[in-house]
Amino acid sequence: MANSDSNQAATLTSRSYTVGALAFAAPEIVYQRWAPTLARVTKETGIALELVPLRPDELVERVSNNSLDFIIGNALITVAFKKDYGVSHLLTLVPLNHANPEQAVGTALISRSSLEINALSDLEGLRVVSSDPNAFGGFQIIAGEMITAGIDPLNDLRQLEFVGFPQEKLLDFLREDRADVAILPSCVLESAIAQGKLTRGELHVLLPQFQPGFSCQASSSLYPGYAFSKLGKTDHDVARHIVRALLDIESQDQQAILGRYHTWSVPVDDSQVFTLLQQLDRWPFVTNWQRLAEDAIPWALVIAIILALGYLHHLRVKRLVKKRTQALSDEMTQHKDTQKRLFEQQQQFYRAQRVLLTGEMASGIAHELNQPLAGIRYLAQGSIYRLLAQQTDLQHALSKILQQVDRAQNTIKRFRQFCQQPSVYQDCDLKELIQDTLNLMQPDFKRMDLNPKQFLWPLTVTLDISLMQQVFVNLIRNALDAMDETNDPQLAIAITNDSENAVIVVSDSGIGLSEQALERLFFPFETSKANGLGLGMVVCKRIVEEHGGKIRAFNNREASRTQHLPKELGNEFPRFATGLTLVITLPLKENVHV
């Protein structure tokens, strides 16, 4: 049981609680009135209470923000908070000037002693000042009685002015002749006289009503005074301990004397306040549109933000669609340009094939024809040597034969020179050349959903860029054709080197070649394609050899494949189970002999 009490005490003292006190005077005056009372409660209960003086508008804002735990306020604002914020009325203040807490505050119409009126309607032509339209004792009570008398205070009082807080400054308006009548809570005039701020008889209360047992003059009926309330979120055990401590305060205690009250009492009948609210057309008799608007504002903001975000998203999507459309258009244009360049490269390659093939044929024809022509020359010369001097006709005929042989040999020589196009050698980075070739063939890669694996690094060699690019195009195209019906096409290209040569490796995962086809891969007119000429690999071999290099090929399924690959290639290069691998070696720049 002791542990339970200690845990409860620890819970009560674990944080401080904020008490908002309704302030119609300067904050220091509110502190002087209520701080001693709260300090005593803290001392007796161990519950830390923080006093915050607040004007009516500030009190409403703090309550709506849920930043208060308790409220010390008048009966009207307490009743209004019951509905709007779930405030619970705990205690009612018993004032010094009246023993009945149900009749604790009213309104006093104060003017200079020289002014008298006979009815509330006489206020219509006078300069009237009040602190605030929501002040309970200052304006709300007398406004209710005006409405009962058929007077609309906000429209009929043509010279009505609200000048704000503190309320005591309204007395200065009267003394300085800036107003004829001041609407103030009852007992404000008597308090100013008691404090020596006014002399008795300088100002007086208009239309005074006799209230038995009430020590101040009032121009209206009396209503319950201040109440101590808690907000709905505040722990009820905390409220119970505070209420118990407040009820223990007696009228002779210092806290009651400084707080200008008699004692605290249980909640009293506040039906008069409801009657006043009905006269003022306020809750619960009319819809609190302001409160509804305040409640709706966050949702309206959320909806506005969602709509704004949706519109921004729409603009973003529209911009992305436009941007993507432009990108697709640019890509299509680039694709067409790439296709055009590739077609031109292919045409150039085919021309090179034809020229090289013509050169090959010319070399073969020259080799085959030069031998019989040389034989004819030797035979003709031998016959001339054996002729007699008088056999001039035969000698002339044989000389004509020698002339025709020389002519035929010169024709063959000029034909060979015509077919031999000189190559243009220059320094070239193999990595850039291969990447440029891959870019040319991107449409084919996209068609096959293929992303070649590249193991490239910069390596400079001396070569004819155009011819060597045709070699790479032909090798890659052959690899793509071999993988055309493969479920998972893969292509790997690497560059490495040994001490003397640059090495280019092209490997695919296609169907490979038969042993017979592999042996005759570089023979002219040997092809496994239905419409192939069988000249591509021959031309590639001639180009590589023209550069002083070599080209070789092997099937990936061979058991000794690792022996075919250069050891400098490393283990990162993929080893496909099927397909063909071609290895090209080219002499490095410093090893080229011109």
Side-chain angles (χ1 to χ4, degrees):
M1 187 69 174
N3 289 336
S4 176
D5 293 340
S6 62
N7 291 336
Q8 185 178 13
T11 302
L12 296 178
T13 58
S14 61
R15 59 174 287 254
S16 62
Y17 295 86
T18 305
V19 181
L22 190 61
F24 297 106
E28 56 270 15
I29 297 176
V30 178
Y31 271 108
Q32 292 173 4
R33 182 178 186 186
W34 298 114
T37 298
L38 298 185
R40 172 170 172 168
V41 172
T42 298
K43 182 178 180 181
E44 291 185 3
T45 63
I47 301 172
L49 298 176
E50 178 187 357
L51 177 63
V52 181
L54 298 169
R55 297 190 306 271
D57 56 336
E58 295 175 335
L59 182 63
V60 173
E61 181 180 359
R62 292 290 291 271
V63 172
S64 64
N65 293 335
N66 208 22
S67 58
L68 295 176
D69 299 292
F70 297 95
I71 300 171
I72 299 176
N74 59 45
L76 188 69
I77 203 166
T78 301
V79 170
F81 283 166
K82 284 182 182 179
K83 181 261 180 184
D84 289 337
Y85 305 104
V87 171
S88 300
H89 186 180
L90 301 178
L91 296 174
T92 300
L93 192 72
V94 180
L96 287 174
N97 49 28
H98 205 295
N100 183 1
E102 296 179 3
Q103 297 180 334
V105 64
T107 297
L109 299 174
I110 303 173
S111 70
R112 293 183 298 278
S113 298
S114 58
L115 178 64
E116 290 287 352
I117 61 174
N118 298 317
L120 290 174
S121 58
D122 294 339
L123 296 173
E124 295 181 10
L126 300 177
R127 296 173 297 166
V128 182
V129 292
S130 181
S131 57
D132 188 272
N134 293 315
F136 177 46
F139 182 77
Q140 296 284 328
I141 292 176
I142 198 67
E145 299 201 359
M146 287 183 180
I147 292 172
T148 302
I151 302 171
D152 184 347
L154 296 177
N155 294 320
D156 295 340
L157 301 184
R158 293 181 295 277
Q159 300 185 65
L160 173 63
E161 182 181 2
F162 297 100
V163 297
F165 300 100
Q167 296 185 122
E168 287 79 0
K169 72 178 181 181
L170 272 68
L171 299 175
D172 295 331
F173 273 72
L174 298 175
R175 297 173 66 186
E176 297 169 5
D177 196 24
R178 289 190 287 163
D180 298 319
V181 179
I183 302 176
L184 286 166
S186 56
C187 298
V188 171
L189 176 62
E190 289 80 0
S191 176
I193 294 173
Q195 295 174 21
K197 296 179 180 180
L198 289 175
T199 58
R200 189 175 298 276
E202 185 178 358
L203 302 176
H204 73 127
V205 177
L206 301 174
L207 305 177
Q209 296 184 17
F210 175 73
Q211 306 290 351
F214 193 67
S215 60
C216 302
Q217 287 186 318
S219 305
S220 67
S221 302
L222 300 180
Y223 291 81
Y226 275 84
F228 183 78
S229 308
K230 84 173 188 69
L231 270 73
K233 69 181 180 64
T234 308
D235 185 82
H236 65 91
D237 281 335
V238 174
R240 180 169 58 86
H241 284 78
I242 294 175
V243 166
R244 183 181 298 170
L246 289 174
L247 290 174
D248 289 340
I249 298 176
E250 301 293 340
S251 59
Q252 66 274 14
D253 293 338
Q254 186 69 16
Q255 294 77 20
I257 295 172
L258 294 174
R260 303 194 301 275
Y261 61 87
H262 190 269
T263 57
W264 289 93
S265 173
V266 295
V268 298
D269 181 14
D270 53 8
S271 58
Q272 300 177 77
V273 179
F274 278 88
T275 301
L276 178 61
L277 289 171
Q278 184 177 21
Q279 293 170 342
L280 298 175
D281 286 337
R282 294 182 59 179
W283 178 87
F285 305 100
V286 295
T287 301
N288 190 342
W289 295 108
Q290 180 180 359
R291 174 62 179 167
L292 291 176
E294 291 175 356
D295 291 340
I297 285 175
W299 293 103
L301 289 176
V302 170
I303 294 173
I305 291 173
I306 292 175
L307 292 176
L309 291 176
Y311 181 69
L312 292 176
H313 178 69
H314 168 72
L315 293 179
R316 177 177 176 273
V317 170
K318 184 178 179 180
R319 183 176 64 84
L320 290 176
V321 169
K322 184 177 180 181
K323 184 177 180 181
R324 182 56 180 164
T325 302
Q326 183 63 39
L328 288 174
S329 177
D330 295 341
E331 185 175 355
M332 290 176 64
T333 302
Q334 183 180 5
H335 179 69
K336 291 179 180 178
D337 293 340
T338 303
Q339 284 185 325
K340 182 179 179 181
R341 290 174 57 195
L342 182 59
F343 178 75
E344 292 174 353
Q345 292 283 351
Q346 289 175 336
Q347 293 299 112
Q348 185 177 357
F349 180 59
Y350 294 149
R351 285 195 297 270
Q353 283 182 324
R354 287 193 295 269
V355 171
L356 289 173
L357 181 60
T358 303
E360 182 76 15
M361 294 173 63
S363 297
I365 293 172
H367 177 73
E368 296 297 332
L369 292 180
N370 276 332
Q371 289 183 0
L373 288 174
I376 294 172
R377 169 182 282 278
Y378 296 147
L379 291 173
Q381 286 179 344
S383 298
I384 290 175
Y385 294 152
R386 289 174 174 80
L387 288 176
L388 298 175
Q390 60 273 22
Q391 294 178 306
T392 57
D393 292 339
L394 288 176
Q395 187 177 9
H396 180 71
L398 291 174
S399 297
K400 291 292 186 180
I401 292 174
L402 288 175
Q403 291 177 1
Q404 295 300 321
V405 169
D406 291 337
R407 182 179 177 185
Q409 287 181 334
N410 288 332
T411 301
I412 293 172
K413 182 179 179 180
R414 289 197 301 270
F415 181 63
R416 292 185 62 184
Q417 290 176 347
F418 173 78
C419 294
Q420 290 178 347
Q421 293 183 349
S423 298
V424 181
Y425 288 88
Q426 56 185 307
D427 291 344
C428 174
D429 186 345
L430 279 177
K431 178 182 178 182
E432 293 183 0
L433 180 58
I434 292 177
Q435 287 181 335
D436 185 50
T437 304
L438 294 176
N439 290 333
L440 284 173
M441 305 190 71
Q442 279 299 321
D444 294 305
F445 296 148
K446 290 183 179 180
R447 175 179 58 83
M448 299 183 65
D449 193 19
L450 172 64
N451 186 21
K453 296 179 175 62
Q454 302 179 38
F455 302 87
L456 309 176
W457 62 285
L459 188 62
T460 301
V461 295
T462 301
L463 46 76
D464 187 310
I465 296 176
S466 178
L467 290 178
M468 192 55 63
Q469 188 173 49
Q470 304 312 314
V471 173
F472 296 145
V473 169
N474 194 56
L475 297 184
I476 295 173
R477 183 167 296 282
N478 287 344
L480 296 180
D481 292 340
M483 296 186 293
D484 197 35
E485 298 181 358
T486 304
N487 294 330
D488 184 22
Q490 298 184 65
L491 179 66
I493 302 176
I495 297 174
T496 185
N497 69 286
D498 53 26
S499 60
E500 297 181 353
N501 299 299
V503 181
I504 303 98
V505 181
V506 180
S507 183
D508 64 72
S509 62
I511 58 176
L513 295 174
S514 65
E515 293 298 328
Q516 182 180 3
L518 184 62
E519 292 177 358
R520 302 184 63 81
L521 178 62
F522 299 108
F523 279 64
F525 308 111
E526 296 284 343
T527 181
S528 59
K529 299 180 182 179
N531 299 318
L533 297 177
L535 299 176
M537 295 305 296
V538 176
V539 173
C540 291
K541 183 173 182 296
R542 295 302 185 194
I543 293 176
V544 172
E545 290 177 347
E546 183 181 344
H547 286 77
K550 297 179 180 179
I551 182 171
R552 56 192 175 91
F554 57 88
N555 283 312
N556 295 334
R557 60 177 176 269
E558 293 181 6
S560 60
R561 175 174 180 255
T562 55
Q563 300 176 2
H564 294 287
L565 290 174
K567 60 182 180 179
E568 294 84 5
L569 197 59
N571 296 324
E572 294 183 358
F573 190 79
R575 270 64 173 173
F576 302 131
T578 60
L580 191 71
T581 297
L582 292 107
V583 180
I584 299 174
T585 59
L586 296 172
L588 292 174
K589 179 181 177 182
E590 56 268 20
N591 296 322
V592 176
H593 301 287
V594 181

